[in-house]
């Protein structure tokens, strides 16, 4: 509300005719709010990092701690913006405003190095490092969730089927060896002693049969089910197991794909936030540090484009953070409702 109208007027008219005092005021407020905006992005990044890496941070995020962080942000911004009033100005500042009609921040090289480093270059490095650590922590969390979900656990139905296929001890249904049945058929229902003592040779190979087939055959000694029916049941059970295994694999793939989508979305969000910040502010601060070092005249078009790119970032921040964060979206809704005197928040 203060900086942008004066900046627009200066851009449209192409000259500054409001005097030295208004120029000082405009530059100071401009530096104050733009620096505070950038440092707030650092605070948001730190808050996110602590929320991910420190389990107890949510309980420790007290109003006192938040107030302290805000106080540090605004104190640093005030220190940078008010330093020229303490004499940190170049000698040609007044002549530049009164004679050349150009309102420009102090071109003292030491001040430019201090202000650009504190307001942009150090926060830029901090934001990139913090968001990189956030993504590393998020990737570790995604990996832990993926490893936890990929542990193969048999479904309850499969466990019940395995229990059902295990041999059961029962007095009503004894489990004699397969030899008895064959010998009874050969001897015409002879005595048990003979059948056991003289087992036929062709049944010796029956011991090599699988335990599951034996069990399924012997548990049906009641006399109603035949071997073919039991084999069909075994095959059907195998098919059901394969189908269930396929369903489990498909579900696992679905979970993995959803986790990959979450990871890509997190990367995209951080890339948009960081990329927008870098793209908008880097040209302005490169020109700011280059101008006093080279002592040359910068094109007015380039000056205005780089200046308004920085203003654009401050305009985009509320949109970016509310689109990609539910907390910011809810907070902005509450603020707007209070401004409109709506009390249903």
């Amino acid at each position: 509300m203060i900086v942008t109208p004066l900046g627009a007027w200066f851009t449209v008219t192409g000259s500054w005719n409001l005097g030295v005092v208004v120029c000082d005021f405009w530059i100071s407020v401009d530096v104050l709010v733009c620096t505070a905006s950038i440092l707030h992005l650092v605070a948001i990044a730190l808050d996110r990092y602590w929320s991910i890496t420190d389990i107890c941070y949510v309980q420790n995020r007290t109003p006192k701690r938040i107030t302290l962080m805000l106080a540090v942000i605004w104190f640093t911004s005030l220190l940078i913006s008010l330093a020229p009033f303490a004499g940190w100005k170049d000698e040609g500042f007044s002549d530049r405003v009164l004679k050349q009609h150009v309102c420009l921040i102090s071109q003292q090289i030491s001040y430019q190095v201090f202000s650009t480093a504190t307001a942009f270059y150090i926060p830029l490095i901090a934001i990139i490092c913090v968001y990189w650590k956030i993504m590393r922590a998020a990737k570790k969390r995604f990996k832990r969730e993926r490893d936890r979900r990929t542990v193969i656990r048999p479904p309850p139905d499969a466990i019940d089927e395995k229990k059902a296929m295990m041999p059961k001890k029962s007095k009503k249904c004894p489990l004699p060896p397969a030899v008895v049945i064959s010998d009874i058929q050969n001897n015409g229902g002879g005595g048990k002693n003979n059948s056991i003592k003289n087992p036929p040779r062709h049944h010796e190979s029956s011991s090599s049969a699988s335990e599951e087939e034996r069990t399924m055959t012997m548990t049906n000694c009641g006399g109603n089910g035949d071997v073919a029916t039991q084999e069909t049941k075994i095959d059907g059970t195998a098919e059901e197991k394969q189908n269930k295994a396929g369903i489990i694999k498909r579900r696992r793939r679905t979970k993995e794909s959803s986790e990959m989508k979450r990871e890509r979305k997190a990367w995209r969000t951080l890339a948009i936030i960081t990329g927008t910040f870098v793209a908008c502010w880097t040209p302005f601060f490169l020109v700011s540090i280059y101008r006093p070092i080279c002592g040359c005249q910068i094109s007015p078009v380039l000056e205005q484009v780089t200046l308004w790119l920085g203003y654009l970032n401050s305009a985009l921040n509320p949109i970016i953070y509310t689109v990609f964060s539910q907390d910011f979206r809810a907070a902005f809704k509450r603020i707007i409702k209070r401004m409109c005197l709506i009390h249903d928040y």
Side-chain angles (χ1 to χ4, degrees), residues 17-310:
N17 298 312
L18 300 177
V20 178
V21 177
V22 179
C23 178
D24 267 332
F25 173 75
W26 178 60
I27 290 173
S28 299
V29 177
D30 188 8
V31 173
L32 173 67
V33 294
C34 289
T35 304
S37 175
I38 294 171
L39 294 180
H40 272 87
L41 301 184
V42 179
I44 291 169
L46 287 172
D47 181 75
R48 289 179 168 181
Y49 176 70
W50 291 330
S51 299
I52 290 176
T53 57
D54 187 3
I55 300 173
C56 301
Y57 176 68
V58 178
Q59 287 77 20
N60 296 333
R61 192 202 279 156
T62 58
K64 184 178 179 180
R65 182 168 184 167
I66 295 171
T67 304
L68 179 62
M69 292 175 68
L70 294 174
V72 171
I73 289 171
W74 285 102
F75 176 78
T76 307
S77 303
L78 280 169
L79 185 65
I80 298 170
S81 63
L82 298 179
F85 290 98
W88 214 348
K89 279 184 183 178
D90 61 296
E91 296 177 356
F93 179 80
S94 299
D95 291 338
R96 188 168 55 246
V97 175
L98 297 174
K99 295 179 181 178
Q100 300 177 18
H101 301 286
V102 175
C103 184
L104 197 60
I105 194 170
S106 172
Q107 294 301 293
Q108 188 81 18
I109 295 177
S110 57
Y111 174 74
Q112 282 295 327
V113 171
F114 165 73
S115 62
T116 54
T118 311
F120 177 72
Y121 292 110
I122 294 175
L124 174 64
I125 295 170
I127 288 174
I128 292 174
C129 292
V130 169
Y131 276 135
W132 176 253
K133 288 186 176 182
I134 287 173
M135 280 314 306
R136 285 185 61 186
K139 286 193 77 171
K140 286 181 181 178
R141 180 176 293 183
F142 290 144
K143 188 177 183 299
R144 282 199 302 269
E145 291 179 3
R146 196 180 299 119
D147 293 341
R148 194 182 301 120
R149 290 176 179 176
T150 51
V151 175
I152 301 173
R153 295 186 181 90
D157 297 338
I159 297 171
D160 295 340
E161 287 176 5
K162 285 185 179 179
K163 287 182 179 178
M165 292 176 67
M166 293 295 289
K168 295 179 180 179
K169 294 181 181 179
S170 175
K171 293 180 180 179
K172 296 180 181 179
C173 184
L175 301 176
V179 179
V180 175
I181 300 171
S182 176
D183 218 36
I184 289 171
Q185 290 175 350
N186 291 336
N187 296 332
K192 292 181 182 178
N193 294 330
N194 294 332
S195 62
I196 295 172
K197 288 179 181 179
N198 301 310
R201 287 182 180 179
H202 68 277
H203 281 290
E204 290 176 3
S205 61
S206 65
S207 61
S208 62
S210 65
E211 282 298 320
E212 285 187 353
E213 292 175 297
R214 271 186 168 186
T215 306
M216 292 296 293
T217 304
M218 288 187 284
T219 51
N220 285 280
C221 63
N224 293 329
D226 56 354
V227 175
T229 308
Q230 291 152 10
E231 287 179 356
T232 306
K233 288 180 180 178
I234 293 170
D235 294 338
T237 305
E239 289 178 1
E240 288 177 2
K241 286 182 179 180
Q242 290 178 357
N243 293 334
K244 287 177 180 178
I247 293 170
I248 292 169
K249 287 180 180 178
R250 284 195 295 272
R251 286 177 180 173
R252 196 178 298 136
R253 285 196 210 102
T254 305
K255 288 178 180 178
E256 289 178 359
S257 62
S258 64
E259 288 172 2
M260 289 176 65
K261 287 180 180 177
R262 283 172 56 198
E263 193 169 339
R264 282 197 301 269
K265 184 180 178 183
W267 272 111
R268 188 175 65 249
T269 302
L270 295 183
I272 290 172
I273 292 171
T274 311
T276 305
F277 171 72
V278 172
C280 289
W281 278 117
T282 302
F284 173 79
F285 282 98
L286 285 176
V287 170
S288 297
I289 196 69
Y290 175 73
R291 189 193 302 110
I293 291 175
C294 75
C296 52
Q297 186 73 24
I298 304 295
S299 169
V301 176
L302 182 61
E303 290 266 10
Q304 298 302 328
V305 169
T306 56
L307 178 66
W308 283 93
L309 270 176

